[in-house]
Amino acid sequence: MGDYSLLSEETISDKIYFIRGQKVMLDRDLAMLYGYKNNFLRSQIATLKLDVTIYDLKF
């Protein structure tokens, strides 16, 4: 098994911001937490949005 290090709750909560009444996390922080590059995460989110749109159009 790989060596997985756990992040502290404080580390994660420091990356959550409260903006206009919503809890949000910046894409760069989310990418860092998962160990991805920011542009890869963005492209995956764009693909997911496209998939959901196509699904909505079919049904």
Side-chain angles (χ1 to χ4, degrees):
M1 289 233 150
D3 180 28
Y4 296 103
S5 60
L6 296 176
L7 297 170
S8 70
E9 185 176 333
E10 184 179 342
T11 301
I12 296 170
S13 64
D14 285 346
K15 303 207 180 302
I16 299 173
Y17 302 97
F18 197 69
I19 301 174
R20 296 183 185 171
Q22 297 286 321
K23 290 181 181 179
V24 297
M25 183 178 282
L26 299 177
D27 58 350
R28 68 170 186 233
D29 294 333
L30 190 61
M32 186 210 56
L33 288 174
Y34 281 100
Y36 292 113
K37 291 184 178 180
N38 193 16
N39 59 351
F40 176 77
L41 181 68
R42 284 184 181 185
S43 69
Q44 294 302 308
I45 291 171
T47 301
L48 179 62
K49 284 182 182 178
L50 179 62
D51 290 345
V52 170
T53 303
I54 291 171
Y55 179 79
D56 286 345
L57 291 174
K58 287 182 179 178
F59 299 99

